[in-house]
Amino acid sequence: MRNYGGLVQAVGGFARDRGGNFAVLFGLSASVLALAAGFSVNISQLYNAKSSLQGVIDAAVTSTARDLTTGVIKEADANNSVKAFLDANDTAGILQAGQVVLDRLIVDKTAKTVQVDAHVDVALFFPIFGMSDARRVAASTTALYSDKTIEVAMMLDITGSMAKRGNVDKIGDLKAAAKNAVQTMLRNQDPKNPRVRVAIVPYASGVNAGKLAENVYAEKQGSSELPPVAGGSLLVAKTGKNLLPSFSDYISIVGAAMPHPDNCATERKDKNGDADLSADGPDTVRADGNGKKYYALVNRDDHLGGGGMNRCPDAKVIPLTAESSALLDSIDDFRADGYTAGAIAIQWTYYMLSPQWRTAINNAGLGKGASDADPKKIAKVAILITDGQFNTAFAGVGGSYNSQGNLARGNAETLCGNMKNDGIEIFTIGFDLNDKDMSATERDQAKAVLKGCSSKDTSTAKRHFFDVSTGVELDAAFQEIIRNTEKVALTQ
């Protein structure tokens, strides 16, 4: 028993020693846990400060780059712009007022970038492991800006199918969305040096050329489909020469001899009577099948009627302008009527963005026209909208309704290809293309043309074709296109 008693005593002593060891171990563990918790809190605090600082300077630089791009501020004002933004937003997240320090701002006029470096000093909750009471957190960001000008031509459908029917008011929806688009694009600009200019091309059975109608050849029944040629009886009688007169004399002579019943235009025709799908100006010299010269006036086909659905729309083409009032007033007066000559409208949209029409536009007192193509300085954008399939054409038509539609759609796709080859970015909108009044085939044809006409989607402009059903969706599509247009200006 004595041996067992010693064993019991030994075990008891060991247990007493173990109790002391547990206390020591617990104290050490608690200290480690406290340090770990404090370290974790500090790391979280620094992470949140870094995230907040990055968000603030990202927003400041993006805002400043956008203002530089849109012309709200000059490059010399960028520093003050960033500082003002930081002062107004430096309490984001866990940041405190006056905590953000702007270390450096660089405006690179060659690369067109704005770079900002900034820091905050964060007072740590748990200054441990030799950490001082404060740690510095830094962040940097860079954003692109652009001094490109932007030229936008909007092709707007005012055909009969857009008319109000019961509670559905497509023409009203178009007016509201187009006006909002114009106001968004043209706001905050220097009127003496606008960065963005907008043209509109309303269309139905044809396009009303307005003051540009002096460049239109009004066909008469039984007359040639080409404008008068040099050496022809009309020009010889007026000039006494077989040579082509100056362009100004030519349009004066032709206009007096063949007065317009209205200011409408259809397709320009080539020497074979087919649609001439170039963007050439009307003062371009052409030759007929016999080599006789004439100027490339745009045709007003004699089959275009003066009333009913086959009539000239009242709303006129308005070339590129930064004056929103003229555009808004025109849109306000839109009236839905007529067939859908979409290819003719696309061609006039092309004209509005073509520098080859600059002289004609200037001579008509309608502004300076489109700029020369220069991807580094100019972004050219076309927005095409329709609520149905293109069904009307004149040049080269054999007489049947189906041939008109096929020609119109084929011409539209060729024109869109030509525009894209000239560096024009094309966005298209199908408005209520699921209308029950159209057959499934018609809907498919309409969508196919719009998809084919639109530019390819990119990482910058992720969508170029929009299929919308309501006025709210139409307005949203216009606004997304405008945002994409700004991205195009930054990246092209």
Side-chain angles (χ1 to χ4, degrees):
M1 291 296 294
R2 192 179 298 171
N3 290 338
Y4 287 113
L7 180 60
V8 170
Q9 288 176 353
V11 171
F14 177 76
R16 286 191 294 272
D17 290 341
R18 290 282 293 175
N21 290 338
F22 282 137
V24 171
L25 289 173
F26 177 78
L28 289 172
S29 298
S31 298
V32 171
L33 289 172
L35 290 172
F39 186 75
S40 177
V41 169
N42 287 344
I43 293 298
S44 177
Q45 184 185 6
L46 293 173
Y47 175 82
N48 289 333
K50 171 81 170 180
S51 178
S52 299
L53 175 62
Q54 191 70 57
V56 168
I57 68 168
D58 282 351
V61 172
T62 300
S63 175
T64 299
R66 183 176 61 249
D67 287 347
L68 284 168
T69 295
T70 57
V72 174
I73 64 172
K74 304 297 183 184
E75 289 165 331
D77 302 323
N79 194 70
N80 289 336
S81 174
V82 170
K83 285 182 177 179
F85 193 96
L86 292 178
D87 290 343
N89 298 274
D90 63 356
T91 56
I94 68 168
L95 302 181
Q96 313 235 342
Q99 193 175 8
V100 179
V101 178
L102 179 62
D103 296 317
R104 183 174 63 165
L105 184 145
I106 301 174
V107 178
D108 188 328
K109 297 180 181 180
T110 302
K112 298 299 178 187
T113 59
V114 180
Q115 178 184 338
V116 164
D117 299 331
H119 76 268
V120 294
D121 290 321
V122 181
L124 296 176
F125 293 137
F126 295 96
I128 54 179
F129 294 143
M131 290 182 175
S132 61
D133 290 347
R135 290 295 297 270
R136 178 159 294 185
V137 173
S140 178
T141 194
T142 303
L144 282 167
Y145 71 96
S146 173
D147 59 356
K148 281 185 180 180
T149 57
I150 301 175
E151 296 174 350
V152 181
M154 300 197 302
M155 183 191 93
L156 303 174
D157 187 338
I158 58 171
T159 58
S161 56
M162 292 286 290
K164 183 177 180 180
R165 297 177 185 177
N167 294 326
V168 179
D169 185 11
K170 290 198 284 187
I171 192 68
D173 291 336
L174 174 63
K175 289 181 183 182
K179 287 170 64 177
N180 191 26
V182 167
Q183 290 169 324
T184 300
M185 287 188 282
L186 298 183
R187 68 188 176 192
N188 298 329
Q189 294 201 107
D190 179 355
K192 295 181 180 179
N193 186 30
R195 177 173 172 269
V196 182
R197 292 186 296 151
V198 178
I200 60 173
V201 182
Y203 75 98
S205 298
V207 169
N208 188 329
K211 292 182 179 180
L212 290 171
E214 65 181 5
N215 303 287
V216 173
Y217 164 58
E219 298 177 18
K220 302 299 178 186
Q221 190 171 7
S223 68
S224 169
E225 293 186 324
L226 292 182
V229 298
S233 58
L234 175 62
L235 295 182
V236 171
K238 295 295 182 180
T239 66
K241 300 178 181 179
N242 288 321
L243 301 176
L244 196 65
S246 68
F247 181 68
S248 59
D249 286 343
Y250 184 86
I251 59 175
S252 177
I253 293 169
V254 173
M258 300 177 175
H260 303 108
D262 50 38
N263 290 328
C264 219
T266 56
E267 307 98 330
R268 175 162 51 197
K269 297 178 181 178
D270 64 19
K271 61 184 180 181
N272 299 315
D274 298 321
D276 176 346
L277 304 178
S278 73
D280 291 344
D283 54 352
T284 304
V285 176
R286 292 273 198 269
D288 68 5
N290 297 315
K292 295 185 177 181
K293 295 180 179 179
Y294 64 97
Y295 289 105
L297 302 184
V298 179
N299 291 58
R300 185 211 180 279
D301 193 279
D302 62 285
H303 292 96
L304 179 66
M309 290 285 284
N310 192 23
R311 61 182 294 276
C312 187
D314 297 325
K316 304 176 181 65
V317 166
I318 299 181
L320 293 168
T321 179
E323 295 292 333
S324 60
S325 57
L327 298 166
L328 297 176
D329 288 346
S330 176
I331 293 170
D332 259 336
D333 293 335
F334 281 0
R335 181 168 65 91
D337 196 10
Y339 297 122
T340 310
I344 296 170
I346 292 176
Q347 184 153 40
W348 277 87
T349 304
Y350 196 8
Y351 294 162
M352 294 302 99
L353 296 171
S354 170
Q356 297 179 81
W357 274 76
R358 190 163 53 216
T359 299
I361 290 169
N362 187 261
N363 289 342
L366 296 173
K368 63 180 184 180
S371 304
D372 289 336
D374 186 343
K376 293 183 179 180
K377 295 181 179 180
I378 308 291
K380 292 179 181 280
V381 176
I383 303 173
L384 315 179
I385 177 172
T386 184
D387 77 328
Q389 67 167 190
F390 299 157
N391 57 24
T392 302
F394 297 89
V397 173
S400 72
Y401 175 82
N402 287 333
S403 66
Q404 286 188 43
N406 291 335
L407 275 172
R409 292 186 288 276
N411 290 345
E413 291 172 346
T414 299
L415 284 163
C416 289
N418 292 344
M419 292 169 74
K420 286 183 277 192
N421 288 339
D422 283 351
I424 297 171
E425 193 92 359
I426 302 178
F427 296 89
T428 61
I429 304 175
F431 185 28
D432 194 26
L433 292 182
N434 292 318
D435 189 331
K436 294 179 180 178
D437 288 344
M438 286 196 292
S439 68
T441 298
E442 290 172 332
R443 288 194 293 269
D444 290 344
Q445 289 174 335
K447 291 181 182 182
V449 170
L450 292 178
K451 288 178 181 178
C453 271
S454 62
S455 295
K456 290 184 178 179
D457 296 341
T458 64
S459 58
T460 302
K462 295 183 179 179
R463 186 156 58 142
H464 287 82
F465 166 66
F466 295 78
D467 188 0
V468 302
S469 300
T470 67
V472 172
E473 292 175 351
L474 178 62
D475 182 63
F478 269 116
Q479 294 301 313
E480 183 174 340
I481 288 170
I482 293 167
R483 290 191 295 272
N484 285 336
T485 296
E486 287 292 348
K487 293 176 183 176
V488 168
L490 284 170
T491 58
Q492 273 189 344

